[in-house]
Amino acid sequence: MAQSTETTDWVSRFADEVIEESERRAPGKPVVVASGLSPSGPIHLGNLREVMTPHLVADEIRRRGRQVRHLISWDDYDRYRKVPEGVAGVDKKAWEEHIGKPLTSVPAPKGSSHPNWAEHFKAAMVESLAELGVEFDGISQTAQYTSGVYREQILHAIRHRGDIDAILDQYRTKKAPGKKPSQKPLDEAELEAAEGSGAAGEDDGSSGSAGYFPYKPYCGNCEKDLTTVTAYDDDSTELTYACTACGFSETVRLNEFNRGKLVWKVDWPMRWAYEGVIFEPSGVDHSSPGSSFQVGGQIVGIFGGKQPIGPMYAFVGISGMAKMSSSKGGVPTPGDALKIMEPQLLRWLYARRRPNQSFKIAFDQEIQRLYDEWDKLDAKVADRSALPGDVAAHARAVGTAGGELPRTPRPLPYRTLASVADITAGHEDQALRILSELDPSNPLGSLDEARPRYDKAEAWINTQVPADQRTIVRDEPDAELLKSLDEQAQGSLRLLLDGLASHWSLDGLTHLVYGVPKVQAGFAADATPKELPAEIKTAQRTFFALLYHLLVGRDTGPRLPTLLLAVGQERVRVLLGE
Ligand SMILES: [Zn+2]
C-alpha cells in the first residue's frame, strides 16, 4: 500500500476533519464520502471535480489504513429535462417526446450498445474513472427507488410534509439576494456543467389540491412526471394523482408503490441520512442562499441525519476548446481530456488546487507548458528537491492507495512528441527514427516505450491544433528565397550545415542553432549571455526565422532542434540549399 503523504495539503486537512467527524457520528464504521452525477447527457469535464474532490480525500483516508466508501450516486431517476445539443444518433424532435420521463426510461442514442439514455452516458464516465484510478461504489437511484429501498424514508417525508414545507417556505418568501459566489458571470461551459450536477432547477414539490407534497409519481401510462397529487390519506397511504400530459389518473398505495421519487431538495438530504454521508462537496450552484445544500442542511434533521461537510468547489474551465465546442454543440468530457493527456496530469490539476480555487484544463498550446511543468516536478521529486506540498500533489497524481497508475516508460517531453507527431503525420517508423535520435546514446527501442504519452500528444495534434497551425515541411527548397540571401545569411546556413552531422541529437542541435549567430559575430559557440552584446538576440531571431521559412514556409514552428530532427538530416540539407 502506498504511504500516507506526511505533509499537510488541502487533501490531508480534509481527511483529518472527515475522519474526526466520522468517528463522532459513526464510531468504528467506514467513512462515507459521496458524489452525485446526473447522466442527463454527456457528463462534462467540468463535473469531474464533483468526483475528484471526494476521491482525493477518500484516497488519503485509505492511505492511512482506514476503510472508506466513496459513493457515486447516479441520479438516473431524475426527469429528462431537455435534449442536449450535438449528440450523435439523436434526433431532437424524436427525443423531445421523452421529456419528463426518468432518464433510464429514455432510449439511448441510435447505435448505442446500452439499454437506455442514462446507461449510455454513464458508461463513458465509468470508463474515464477507471483510467483515472477512481475507486467508487456506484448507486443507481433508479434501482434504489424502483426496488422500494427508500420506502420508509418516502413515507416519513410525506408524514412530515408540513415541516418540510415550513422549511422551504423560509426561502420562498425571501428570494436569494443577488450576491454571486463567482466573480464573473458563468460562461457557457460553466452553465452546462452546473446543469449537469444534481437536479438543480427542479421544483421543490407540488402544491396540488392535496397541499404541499414532496413526492412525485411518474405516470403509469406515459411515464412522465407531469403528475399532480390530488388526494392522499396518511393512514392507508392511498395516493391519487392525475397526469396533465396524458390525462391518466389512478389511486395507488404508497406502502407498495415504487414508481416515483422525492423532489430533489428532499431527496438529497434523505440520502445523506440514509447513507451516513460525512463529506460531499458541491458546486457553487448548490451553495447559494436557499440552494439545495443549504436547505438540505435543515431538512436532513427530519430524517435523523446531519449535513455532510460540504465545501463549495469552484468551477473548472476549459481553455482552447471554445471554437470546437460551439461547432459540436457540446463541451468536452473527461474522456476527451484523457485522449490528449495522461491520467496523472489530469489528477495533478485537481490535487494541486484547493477546491475553492478555479483553474482551467488546457486543450490549447498551454497543455505543452503544463506538461513541461509536470516533468520538472517529476524530476524534482526524483532527486528529492521538491517542496513538501508539491511532493504531496505529485504523489496523489501518480497513484492511489491501491498503487501506481500505469506510466509511460520513457516520458519524452510532450512538446517534442507533439512536434514529431505533427511532422510525421502518422508515419510511425519515421517517428521512431526521430525519437531515437533525440538521445543517440540511449535510443528508443520501440515507440511503445513512449506510449501512452506519444498517443496523447498525437491525438492533441490531430484533434485540437487548427489546420493553419500545423507544420507542413516544404517538399521543394524555396529557390527564390535561397537566391535572395545576402552573404551574412548564407554564412549562417553554411555554419549550420557544417555542424549538422556532429551535432545530430536534441542537445547537440540546441547548441548548434544558438551557437551559429555567436560564432558569426566572432564569439565562442558556448559564450554565455553575459559575455555577449544584446544584438546577438536579434541575430538569433533573424536566423531562426530564416530557418523556419526555408523548412516550413512560415515565421515560426516547433522548436528548431526538434524540427531539424523531425525533418531528417538529408532533407534539411536539401531544403537549406546544400
Ligand atoms: Zn401520463
Side-chain angles (χ1 to χ4, degrees), residues 77 141 144-161 164 213-217 232 234 237 239 254-255 257-263 266-267 270 274 302-303:
Y77 207 45
Q141 293 306 330
Q144 299 286 89
Y145 271 105
T146 59
S147 63
V149 165
Y150 300 139
R151 174 145 25 248
E152 285 311 315
Q153 285 72 19
I154 293 168
L155 293 173
H156 185 81
I158 293 174
R159 272 196 299 276
H160 293 87
R161 60 189 181 275
I164 292 172
F213 214 72
Y215 175 90
K216 234 173 205 263
Y232 183 71
D234 280 287
T237 78
L239 175 149
L254 265 197
N255 60 13
F257 179 80
N258 293 332
R259 204 186 53 246
K261 77 183 280 289
L262 291 170
V263 294
V266 181
D267 178 43
M270 179 278 285
Y274 182 82
I302 292 172
F303 295 99

Side-chain angles (χ1 to χ4, degrees), residues 231-308:
Y232 183 71
D233 181 72
D234 280 287
D235 296 328
S236 67
T237 78
E238 255 181 23
L239 175 149
T240 305
Y241 71 85
C243 176
T244 58
C246 71
F248 182 78
S249 177
E250 69 173 330
T251 299
V252 298
R253 287 173 76 99
L254 265 197
N255 60 13
E256 55 184 37
F257 179 80
N258 293 332
R259 204 186 53 246
K261 77 183 280 289
L262 291 170
V263 294
W264 168 247
K265 281 185 176 167
V266 181
D267 178 43
W268 199 19
M270 179 278 285
R271 289 188 275 114
W272 290 341
Y274 182 82
E275 304 286 1
V277 177
I278 305 290
F279 182 72
E280 181 168 359
S282 55
V284 287
D285 55 319
H286 286 330
S287 304
S288 52
S291 70
S292 36
F293 187 78
Q294 206 192 50
V295 177
Q298 285 180 261
I299 293 178
V300 68
I302 292 172
F303 295 99
K306 279 185 85 178
Q307 190 178 38

Side-chain angles (χ1 to χ4, degrees), residues 9-11 14 49 53 56 313 316 347-360 366 369-370 373 390 393:
D9 62 351
W10 69 266
V11 181
F14 269 124
R49 205 166 208 176
T53 308
L56 291 167
Y313 55 79
V316 173
R347 289 178 63 91
W348 178 57
L349 296 179
Y350 287 92
R352 70 180 183 149
R353 296 276 179 254
R354 292 190 312 274
N356 62 357
Q357 290 178 298
S358 62
F359 64 89
K360 287 195 167 183
E366 173 70 8
R369 202 201 51 75
L370 263 181
E373 203 184 328
D390 295 337

Side-chain angles (χ1 to χ4, degrees), residues 64-393:
R64 296 183 191 181
R66 287 179 171 259
Q67 277 197 300
V68 54
R69 289 179 73 208
H70 179 185
L71 309 178
I72 293 185
S73 168
W74 300 106
D75 294 332
D76 55 10
Y77 207 45
D78 286 357
R79 77 190 302 257
Y80 188 52
R81 280 181 296 147
K82 62 165 195 181
V83 186
E85 298 287 339
V87 177
V90 173
D91 167 37
K92 208 162 177 177
K93 268 262 139 53
W95 262 264
E96 269 169 3
E97 302 280 308
H98 302 289
I99 287 175
K101 292 182 188 174
L103 292 166
T104 38
S105 295
V106 177
K110 273 192 206 105
S112 168
S113 58
H114 300 282
N116 59 58
W117 186 269
E119 290 299 324
H120 176 82
F121 292 107
K122 210 160 108 176
M125 188 66 177
V126 167
E127 201 180 306
S128 295
L129 293 177
E131 192 174 343
L132 283 165
V134 175
E135 193 183 309
F136 66 93
D137 289 348
I139 296 178
S140 159
Q141 293 306 330
T142 300
Q144 299 286 89
Y145 271 105
T146 59
S147 63
V149 165
Y150 300 139
R151 174 145 25 248
E152 285 311 315
Q153 285 72 19
I154 293 168
L155 293 173
H156 185 81
I158 293 174
R159 272 196 299 276
H160 293 87
R161 60 189 181 275
D163 302 332
I164 292 172
D165 194 27
I167 292 170
L168 291 171
D169 205 45
Q170 298 166 13
Y171 298 96
R172 289 195 197 104
T173 46
K174 49 169 196 258
K175 271 264 176 208
K179 183 187 161 280
K180 277 234 163 180
S182 60
Q183 297 294 348
K184 60 181 181 58
L186 303 182
D187 67 24
E188 211 176 315
E190 288 170 337
L191 284 172
E192 285 284 325
E195 277 186 37
S197 55
E202 195 190 82
D203 67 6
D204 60 14
S206 56
S207 282
S209 47
Y212 173 76
F213 214 72
Y215 175 90
K216 234 173 205 263
Y218 279 111
C219 174
N221 180 50
C222 71
E223 286 192 86
K224 295 184 178 176
D225 71 342
L226 301 169
T227 55
T228 313
V229 175
T230 53
Y232 183 71
D233 181 72
D234 280 287
D235 296 328
S236 67
T237 78
E238 255 181 23
L239 175 149
T240 305
Y241 71 85
C243 176
T244 58
C246 71
F248 182 78
S249 177
E250 69 173 330
T251 299
V252 298
R253 287 173 76 99
L254 265 197
N255 60 13
E256 55 184 37
F257 179 80
N258 293 332
R259 204 186 53 246
K261 77 183 280 289
L262 291 170
V263 294
W264 168 247
K265 281 185 176 167
V266 181
D267 178 43
W268 199 19
M270 179 278 285
R271 289 188 275 114
W272 290 341
Y274 182 82
E275 304 286 1
V277 177
I278 305 290
F279 182 72
E280 181 168 359
S282 55
V284 287
D285 55 319
H286 286 330
S287 304
S288 52
S291 70
S292 36
F293 187 78
Q294 206 192 50
V295 177
Q298 285 180 261
I299 293 178
V300 68
I302 292 172
F303 295 99
K306 279 185 85 178
Q307 190 178 38
I309 296 167
M312 181 198 90
Y313 55 79
F315 279 114
V316 173
I318 313 296
S319 71
M321 192 78 181
K323 240 188 281 168
M324 299 208 173
S325 66
S326 59
S327 65
K328 254 180 29 183
V331 292
T333 62
D336 290 326
L338 289 169
K339 281 191 190 98
I340 62 164
M341 62 185 77
E342 294 163 280
Q344 288 88 344
L345 189 85
L346 194 50
R347 289 178 63 91
W348 178 57
L349 296 179
Y350 287 92
R352 70 180 183 149
R353 296 276 179 254
R354 292 190 312 274
N356 62 357
Q357 290 178 298
S358 62
F359 64 89
K360 287 195 167 183
I361 297 176
F363 279 67
D364 54 10
Q365 302 287 338
E366 173 70 8
I367 192 174
Q368 304 190 89
R369 202 201 51 75
L370 263 181
Y371 251 108
D372 288 345
E373 203 184 328
W374 167 248
D375 286 345
K376 223 172 272 169
L377 171 61
D378 208 44
K380 277 189 182 172
V381 169
D383 71 18
R384 295 173 183 276
S385 64
L387 298 169
D390 295 337
V391 173

